Amino acid sequence: MSDAPGELINGIGFSVNGRAIHSDEMPLQRLSEVLRKQGLTGTKVGCDAGDCGACTVLIDGEPACSCLVAIGQLEGSVVETVEGLAGPGEDGENLNALQQSFLQHGAAQCGICTPGMLMAATHLLRHNPTPDAQQVEDALGGVLCRCTGYRKIIDAVVNTASLRDVPGSPPSGAAIGARVQRLDGVAKVNGRDQFGADVIPTDALRLAVIRSPHHCADFIIGDTGQWLTDHGLDLVLTSVDIPGENRFGVIPPFADQPVFAEQRARFRGEAIAAVVGSAEAIARLDAETFPVQWTVLDPHLLPDQALLDGAMPVHAGRPDNVLVRGLVQRGDIESGLQQSRFSRRGSFSTPFIEHAYIEPEAGCAVVVDDTIEIHTCTQTAGMTREELAGILGMPEENIRVRPTSVGGGFGSKLDLSLQPYLCLAALKLGLPVAAVYSRRESMQSTTKRHPSQIDLHIACDANGKLTAIDFNGIFNTGAYASWGPTVANRVPIHASGPFYIPNYRARSTAVHTHTAPAGAFRGFGVPQAAIALESLLDRLADDAGIDRLQFRLNNALDNHQPTVTGQIFASGVGIKACLSTLQEAWVAAGERCAVFNENSTRYRKGRGVATCWYGCGNTSLPNPSTIKIAVNQQGQVVLHQGAIDIGQGANTVVAQIAADTLGVALSELRLVDADTAVTPDAGKTSASRQTFVSGNAALLAARSLRQLILREVNASDRSVVVMSAGTITIKDADQTHVLTLTDRPADSEGYVFCAVEQYNPPTTELDANGQGSPYAQYGYGAQLIELTVDVELGTVKLDRLTTAHDVGIAINPQLVEGQIEGGATQGIGMALMEDFVPGVAENLHDYLIPTIGDIPSFEHHIVEVADAVGPYGAKGLGEHVLIPTAPAILNAIRDATGAEVNHLPATPDKVLAALRQLS
Amino acid sequence: MPLSYVRPLQLGAALDLLRNNRWTILAGGTDFYPALQGQRPSTPVLDITALSDLGKVATTPDGVRIGALATWTDVVRAGLPAAFDALKLAAVEVGSVQIQNRATVAGNLCNASPAADGVPPLLCLDAQVELMSHRGTRQLPLGDYILGNRRTQLAEDELLSAIVIPRAASTGSSAFRKLGARRYLVISIAMVAVRLVLSNDNRIESISIAVGSCSEVATRLTTAETSLQGQQAETGVEQLLQAQHLAALQPIDDIRAPAGYRQEAALQLLRRTVADAVVAAKTAGATT
């Protein structure tokens, strides 16, 4: 017993949510683990170190991180968890005022931090029912959220005491444009939502991954047989255990990542083996005892090292350690630059950025007859299945991907993580096998935002018209391809920003190094490019003597003007509308700064503006979505909605589109979530494509279903359709038809009427110069930040962010605001603090993301310039929102002080160093 | 076979256990669990949280005793005099409310990180640490107790039973500032604590200054103190402080900031904290 986590003496008695618990768990067990074993999975574990606060519970009325509390200390204590917040009733739907306020304000997105936020807020409100924003920030400062940008959480808590009645669900025909609460929201505030770690059966075997502690090393695995026995484990898996291909990757032609490294590990944290045993055996395991011999090699951690002549190749067959290059060019760049009146050059860099979703990767694989089922948090069901089929050597029909709720993704949960290991183990043993990544292994092994080194040269004529942009970006793509090709392709298309540029050349290079693979992260490289462009635009505008916002307006792309790929939109180009919308706030901000700065030397205020544009959907590649909608014999409308909601709101937005198109009330839809066995493939939740692409598929499917129904009684399209139990009533101009459903034949799923439709955005391939129509639509935006710089310490405080994003039409304005605030907050982190250093910042106290105290106030202008092909004119938004924030902040720092920070993050030391350079 | 976990009720029993075995001592758990990195503890664990004799915050004729079980929240709520304001300001910057509710001040000194938030204010309070063992009890100045980065004078059979602030040091006003790269949940780049006592003629009669996160161990800056001693406590007095007064600091480069920045920021932070303390002292003077 001496190796157990604490010797049990008499058991421990405490209460949870008023229920007495007598725990026979070991006294050193963390309270979070014990609660979760009791089925109270509403308490989430994000870091196991007190860094994220997701596991906050109340102990004797005081908030505590339950991951840091030994249950041995709880004798006689009173513990309260999120499950205890709702009023009486078995279903947890009798929400209290705070929970309702969270839903009304859109304070929960993915929902993984929500229990922690709610418990911290519960404590505050007990002692202070009407707190102000500052008091809320102080009380909730210990809980990290990566989705919301915090402001709606603050509003929800501040307004709990004065909460008005929840507005009812919109009537038929009024869903689009309504501030509808998330349809999946209740489970996010009562602790019942099921994330990756919440679906693991208590008796499942557990899997642990053996990882390389070295950035680059050759290895030989020793005798694992005896080691397994010594450690009481059931199974070890290495590369030889893979029935299919030991290779995966999100872009099949570039797939290069082994499930288990063979002979050489190419980054710190790369898997070389996995072991399986009982939960106890895995908890006891010290992975460092695994029998393996390492020969450590000198790694390339930076592109500069990998690009040196004669540098060791990361992969055979990828000369010069270059994965791929991208190019877009138009006009004559050389003469464009030479003949211009003003020009500016600059070199910029950004580091690795970690997604830092609060939910680490988790899942469970189960064999059911001839099928392997994987329950896991993922941004894509279909692609996960395709990749698993290749690895497992099994047909896709025998693989069922059942996505759980996703506690944040932002791009990284597109790639496989632990799914192959779990499936391999479950298939070998015939038993359920589960795993939850630790924060450290999540940060070590999953994808990051590409670090960038950008050289930029831009020019304008004497009137301030942009004449030329020459962009050259080197992106550290890490050890494996992941989304490196996408970044290399997207960046040259977007590096012009939403401006008309007659002479343009943008080159990108994705370079392999011995670091974690860089992959997809909200914007696919475009945010990095925007930092360079928007910084130089300000400097160029100053040279030309033109107001910085006006300079952008003068150069903004318009309808009928070619983009840098030569694509011409006849309508829907919204950047001018966005910039014009900001003009009033821009002037007011300038005045506020001037007044303040007149009397201040230590603190200087500044304003900064930046823009974005972003193509929605895959670049020049098919990316169809399919949606199914049906009516069963009971008269229920069932929406098979496979667009995975990672917090952004697809479950709600797609349903809003379907409801209005079909002509029924939103509340009448029954939702079936993503599951490869029951929902058609709605593609990946990436590329800001779900509202646009899956939204269009939903529109087409709902329209088809409506036509099926109307055709049945030969009614006109103006008819009103009313669903009721077992019947559909169709009211045409002067006739009413009643369709009885109960006596109609139903298909194998019980549906009387069923429509399945696909939408694939129309794009064309790009030619050798990157010319063509890579996207069917772009979304546009601009953001204005006001901030205060402490010129003695180099610290930056954000005062106000005013946004203008063109979404075509806002299907759900509350969700639009949620995306803007959350994306902008990630941009804030990128600008001011985030810096993932492999081997160093593998936790959430060395890797800093913004807390509730680091955000500005927000003011939003939702701009609606209808898109020609979006559903009801809607455009994508998810990634756009992050792009302008960081450059706007850098521009405002320069406006306030003159300091030019070109290398992110703009931590206090870098801001101060830039200030010193001025004098 | 040694017990792997024990939570004794009697102090004597705990000291006996410490005499016979090597233990990891557990109190608030906020450093204990993160340090495990998901592994089981390699030594048996002695949980001291049931040793009520250790106590929380108490004012005695000799001064203030912060018992080993006192959490940061206990310190904030204890109604301590203004000399402790720096400690209280540090308390509300330790991690988060969740951490402050569990983590003990004593644990902060046992962990002995260069960025331990409690050390600068306690140095300004001339704090002594009380170490108990079966051999008896000893007290030593906090500055002597911490030897280096996570190294202290705590012997294997000893327990840090209390932090004792002598009555003579519980006087005056104090201030604290912490500089980090974000607002909450942050490990400091630099931090400064200042305690000062004003004379009747509004001069700085005595002043204690300590800086943390800028050397292996937080340190008192005696040259800075000397430079301010006897000065009129007026706005701007902090400008007397110059870079040379911080020569004792030996900051390092790490992920939070480069050494050069730390050195520079410490001076600015120091000036501001002195200014805060002067304002606090004059406000207190005006109201008494």
Side-chain angles (χ1 to χ4, degrees), chain A residues 2-7 27-28 30 49 51 56 59 62-65 68-70 72-73 134 137-138 141-144 283-286 440 602-603 790 792-793 795 833 840-841 844-846 848-849 851-854 908-909 912 916, chain B residues 1-7 26-30 32-34 36-41 45 47 49 73 77 96-99 101-102 177 179-187 189 238-239 255-258 261 264-266 268-269 272:
Chain A
S2 66
D3 61 351
E7 191 97 345
L28 273 183
R30 301 165 190 256
D51 296 329
T56 299
I59 300 175
E62 301 285 346
C65 291
L68 301 180
V69 176
Q73 301 182 337
Q134 184 59 56
E137 289 178 28
D138 287 343
V143 190
L144 295 177
R284 215 166 36 227
L285 179 70
D286 178 358
R440 185 178 178 196
R602 181 185 284 174
Y603 300 102
D790 180 330
E792 292 174 355
L793 289 171
T795 51
M833 63 187 80
V840 179
L844 292 177
H845 58 260
D846 290 321
L848 302 183
I849 64 172
T851 69
I852 202 169
D854 298 304
D909 59 281
L912 199 64
R916 293 283 180 271
Chain B
M1 187 188 287
L3 289 173
S4 63
Y5 172 90
V6 63
R7 188 170 183 245
L26 170 65
T30 58
F32 172 84
Y33 281 105
L36 292 178
Q37 293 275 357
Q39 299 291 315
R40 301 284 168 99
V45 172
D47 186 334
T49 53
T73 301
R77 293 178 184 169
S96 61
V97 173
Q98 289 88 325
I99 302 296
N101 286 337
R102 305 293 298 184
R177 280 182 183 246
L179 174 65
R182 67 179 178 187
R183 175 62 192 89
Y184 298 104
L185 283 168
V186 72
I187 298 171
I189 294 168
E238 70 277 5
Q239 296 302 328
I255 191 161
R256 279 173 267 286
Y261 174 75
E264 211 173 324
Q268 300 303 336
L269 213 58
R272 292 181 194 187

Side-chain angles (χ1 to χ4, degrees), chain B residues 13-70:
Chain B
L15 298 179
D16 278 347
L17 288 165
L18 281 168
R19 172 183 198 166
N20 297 321
N21 245 311
R22 209 173 144 236
W23 297 85
T24 299
I25 292 174
L26 170 65
T30 58
D31 286 322
F32 172 84
Y33 281 105
L36 292 178
Q37 293 275 357
Q39 299 291 315
R40 301 284 168 99
S42 55
T43 63
V45 172
L46 176 61
D47 186 334
I48 62 169
T49 53
L51 300 174
S52 50
D53 287 351
L54 292 174
K56 298 202 165 187
V57 184
T59 304
T60 72
D62 299 330
V64 172
R65 183 183 167 86
I66 299 173
L69 298 186

Side-chain angles (χ1 to χ4, degrees), chain A residues 29-96:
Chain A
Q29 288 274 1
R30 301 165 190 256
L31 173 60
S32 51
E33 283 177 62
V34 173
L35 290 170
R36 294 179 56 82
K37 276 194 206 167
Q38 295 268 342
L40 296 170
T41 53
T43 297
K44 306 302 179 191
V45 175
C47 70
D48 258 344
D51 296 329
C52 77
C55 68
T56 299
V57 299
L58 303 186
I59 300 175
D60 298 326
E62 301 285 346
C65 291
S66 58
C67 74
L68 301 180
V69 176
I71 63 156
Q73 301 182 337
L74 291 181
E75 183 62 45
S77 289
V78 174
V79 176
E80 297 167 79
T81 72
V82 67
E83 288 92 347
L85 293 182
E90 281 300 294
D91 55 4
E93 293 195 1
N94 187 6
L95 303 181
N96 73 15

Side-chain angles (χ1 to χ4, degrees), chain B residues 185-254:
Chain B
L185 283 168
V186 72
I187 298 171
S188 63
I189 294 168
M191 58 187 156
V192 176
V194 171
R195 183 175 64 87
L196 56 77
V197 178
L198 297 191
S199 62
N200 288 336
D201 62 347
N202 207 33
R203 287 180 185 279
I204 297 175
E205 188 173 292
S206 68
I207 183 164
S208 313
I209 294 172
V211 177
S213 290
C214 289
S215 42
E216 204 181 338
V217 184
T219 181
R220 284 276 289 266
L221 289 180
T222 46
T223 54
E225 292 171 0
T226 311
S227 73
L228 293 177
Q229 217 116 41
Q231 297 292 337
Q232 272 293 316
E234 294 305 340
T235 309
V237 66
E238 70 277 5
Q239 296 302 328
L240 292 171
L241 292 165
Q242 298 299 326
Q244 77 254 20
H245 297 126
L246 286 81
L249 301 180
Q250 290 182 303
I252 58 162
D253 290 329
D254 71 7

Side-chain angles (χ1 to χ4, degrees), chain A residues 129-277:
Chain A
T130 54
D132 62 25
Q134 184 59 56
Q135 290 166 326
V136 174
E137 289 178 28
D138 287 343
L140 272 53
V143 190
L144 295 177
C145 170
R146 193 58 155 166
C147 292
T148 65
Y150 298 103
R151 186 57 63 189
K152 292 190 183 300
I153 294 173
I154 297 169
D155 291 346
V157 180
V158 166
N159 295 322
T160 293
S162 56
L163 197 66
R164 278 168 299 177
D165 284 344
V166 183
S169 188
S172 172
I176 290 174
R179 296 178 72 90
V180 177
Q181 290 180 20
R182 309 184 62 91
L183 299 181
D184 51 9
V186 172
K188 295 189 186 294
V189 297
N190 69 10
R192 296 186 180 219
D193 206 2
Q194 300 270 292
F195 295 87
D198 303 334
V199 298
I200 297 173
T202 44
D203 57 351
L205 292 169
R206 293 301 187 115
L207 178 142
V209 181
I210 309 294
R211 300 183 181 280
S212 169
H214 308 292
H215 298 296
C216 180
D218 288 336
F219 64 92
I220 300 167
I221 293 175
D223 176 12
T224 55
Q226 188 58 45
W227 182 83
L228 271 189
T229 312
D230 292 348
H231 290 79
L233 298 168
D234 298 331
L235 178 70
V236 62
L237 295 167
T238 65
S239 59
V240 302
D241 297 297
I242 294 169
E245 284 209 75
N246 184 23
R247 195 169 64 225
F248 68 94
V250 287
I251 304 172
F254 292 94
D256 58 3
Q257 187 164 359
V259 176
F260 296 114
E262 299 174 29
Q263 295 161 6
R264 174 168 299 176
R266 294 186 177 87
F267 70 94
R268 175 180 158 89
E270 181 164 17
I272 62 162
V275 296
V276 182

